[in-house]
Amino acid sequence: MLMLQKAAERLLEWYQLNKRELPWREGRNPYYIWVSEIMLQQTRVEAVKPYFQRFLSELPTVRDLAACPAERLLKLWEGLGYYNRVRNMQKSAQIVVEKYGGEMPADYEALLALPGIGSYTAGAIASIAFGLPVPAVDGNVLRILARLEADSSDIAKQSVKKMREQQLLELVTDSACIPKLRENPGELNQAWMDLGAGICLPGGEPSCDSCPLKDFCKAHEKGEETAYPVKSKKLKKRLEDRTILLIQDGERLVLHKRPGKGLLAGLYEFPNLEGHLTEEEVLNWVEEKALFPIQIRSLDPAKHIFSHVEWHMIGYLIRVASFEGNLKDNYLLAEVKTVEEEYAIPSAFSAYARCLQMHLGPMRPEKENL
């Protein structure tokens, strides 16, 4: 514990000089911190910034999130993926409005009880926004501590995470050992975040020469930084072949709304079929939908990786004659501009959206390289 205490003191000194300026750190607003932490799951900081700004410009308070129509909420989340995250956020916001008067509770256990908030997110909100002495242990913290101690424990195991949470809880609650923690316990949690994001990097060579903890790091002492952390391999992803159909009637596009449960539940998508279909098979399917194809063109293949499934896609652009009937089975027609502005399309279809000069997410194409 003494080594960890000294490392934490050094880390806090480094953080004061090197902390990142991030929009959700301004003012210690618990709602902003909550939104940012949920968005940052599976997504890089720089990628999150425009999504965060768009989301907060339309839903600036917990009450706004609680009352947002479901389809608009999904559209605001478009491009971030893992849509259950924002569905759980809305469930939590509704509980906060009903039970806490629209104010995030300044209590770790109360935060942890909200849908979609785990120990890390609860710790981040409680410590950063409310100054409560609780840890926030994520992959960054597990990686850094594994290297500091040259610990070969499997960080994918829940027991290892629990051990680290207890270890850091003892550290932050004994604030007498680190006087700076008395003023703002959240500073240490943010320092771990910044060190892991910029120096003690995953999946490659860490920048040890710039690390404030190199003098304490056993992995660095042994020259074995990349040997840690140890993490068991994930299950092999299931491969699926899909055929994506861009069906246009003039300026209108056929969309399909997915079922309310399962992968990409309740979102809109381009019609797609199992397997890699031939032109003839696709045309037969289109005609079965009472659409009359007049032109078909194959599109480049694309791939998208979900948490447990990997799609290998081929696509076709199909022009159909003007259609005035009613599509069935959750299919609809909408203008491309309307689709871009109002319907949430999963990023799995980004490659094919670009074929229509349609952009998914908060930024327009001309701004993407800024």
Side-chain angles (χ1 to χ4, degrees):
M1 181 63 75
L2 180 61
M3 183 276 287
L4 184 58
Q5 176 186 331
K6 291 181 177 179
E9 289 176 324
R10 181 77 59 83
L11 184 59
L12 283 169
E13 293 172 0
W14 171 85
Y15 177 73
Q16 290 303 317
L17 298 174
N18 297 278
K19 59 184 173 183
R20 295 175 292 176
E21 298 296 326
L22 300 171
W24 44 86
R25 285 182 174 174
E26 298 172 6
R28 294 166 64 177
N29 183 314
Y31 175 58
Y32 288 11
I33 294 166
W34 176 33
V35 171
S36 71
E37 290 298 341
I38 300 300
M39 286 186 171
L40 285 165
Q41 295 170 10
Q42 311 292 333
T43 314
R44 295 177 298 104
V45 166
E46 289 305 314
V48 159
K49 287 180 180 179
Y51 290 96
F52 178 83
Q53 291 164 353
R54 180 178 70 164
F55 195 91
L56 270 297
S57 67
E58 190 158 335
L59 305 177
T61 70
V62 174
R63 290 184 181 277
D64 294 314
L65 171 57
C68 183
E71 290 202 0
R72 183 58 189 163
L73 184 65
L74 294 176
K75 182 63 180 178
L76 290 171
W77 200 261
E78 181 185 68
L80 282 167
Y82 300 92
Y83 286 83
N84 277 339
R85 292 184 294 169
V86 74
R87 291 189 181 99
N88 282 330
M89 281 181 64
Q90 185 166 60
K91 291 177 185 176
S92 292
Q94 291 165 348
I95 293 171
V96 170
V97 169
E98 294 169 7
K99 191 172 181 179
Y100 302 104
E103 300 293 330
M104 297 289 290
D107 179 271
Y108 173 81
E109 294 298 335
L111 290 167
L112 189 60
L114 294 172
I117 294 184
S119 60
Y120 167 76
T121 304
I125 299 169
S127 63
I128 299 169
F130 300 117
L132 301 179
V134 289
V137 177
D138 67 351
N140 284 319
V141 177
L142 293 171
R143 180 174 63 257
I144 294 166
L145 294 179
R147 287 172 175 166
L148 278 177
E149 299 180 6
D151 182 1
S152 58
S153 300
D154 183 356
I155 66 167
K157 291 184 176 179
Q158 192 63 23
S159 59
V160 174
K161 183 179 180 183
K162 288 290 185 185
M163 180 270 290
R164 292 302 187 190
E165 287 176 337
Q166 182 59 38
Q167 185 181 27
L168 290 178
L169 179 63
E170 293 174 6
L171 178 69
V172 297
T173 51
D174 185 12
S175 57
C177 70
I178 305 179
K180 290 180 181 179
L181 281 180
R182 285 197 296 269
E183 301 171 13
N184 186 1
E187 294 254 303
L188 181 59
N189 287 332
Q190 293 175 98
W192 293 121
M193 296 175 196
D194 285 10
L195 187 73
I199 292 178
C200 197
L201 303 171
E205 292 288 341
S207 302
C208 295
D209 290 343
S210 305
C211 182
L213 305 185
K214 63 183 179 182
D215 294 341
F216 304 98
C217 183
K218 293 181 180 178
H220 179 63
E221 180 182 339
K222 299 194 308 183
E224 297 179 355
E225 298 91 344
T226 57
Y228 303 94
V230 173
K231 186 176 183 180
S232 55
K233 293 183 179 180
K234 295 181 180 179
L235 293 175
K236 191 174 182 180
K237 291 180 173 60
R238 184 176 76 252
L239 302 182
E240 291 186 2
D241 291 338
R242 309 293 300 184
T243 298
I244 313 301
L245 307 180
L246 304 182
I247 306 171
Q248 282 190 285
D249 162 24
E251 292 299 316
R252 296 184 298 177
L253 179 69
V254 176
L255 290 182
H256 175 253
K257 188 172 184 179
R258 291 182 67 89
K261 294 183 179 180
L263 183 68
L264 306 176
L267 300 177
Y268 291 90
E269 64 182 354
F270 304 133
N272 59 92
L273 306 168
E274 291 184 10
H276 286 169
L277 274 60
T278 65
E279 285 191 11
E280 182 179 359
E281 290 171 323
V282 168
L283 291 173
N284 288 337
W285 184 89
V286 172
E287 290 172 355
E288 289 174 2
K289 296 296 178 185
L291 297 169
F292 303 99
I294 56 178
Q295 184 182 21
I296 184 169
R297 176 167 63 88
S298 61
L299 303 171
D300 291 338
K303 181 172 73 173
H304 187 81
I305 300 173
F306 298 95
S307 56
H308 303 296
V309 183
E310 184 174 316
W311 278 4
H312 289 203
M313 298 173 282
I314 63 170
Y316 294 94
L317 176 62
I318 303 120
R319 301 283 182 181
V320 297
S322 181
F323 176 73
E324 301 300 334
N326 293 319
L327 288 168
K328 299 178 181 179
D329 302 325
N330 289 327
Y331 288 94
L332 60 95
L333 280 166
E335 291 190 3
V336 171
K337 183 178 179 182
T338 302
V339 173
E340 191 171 39
E341 292 176 352
E342 297 182 10
Y343 293 92
I345 308 292
S347 58
F349 300 97
S350 293
Y352 295 101
R354 287 194 291 270
C355 296
L356 302 172
Q357 296 185 323
M358 181 192 302
H359 182 73
L360 307 182
M363 295 190 297
R364 288 294 157 282
E366 65 269 20
K367 296 182 181 179
E368 286 184 320
N369 295 323
L370 295 182

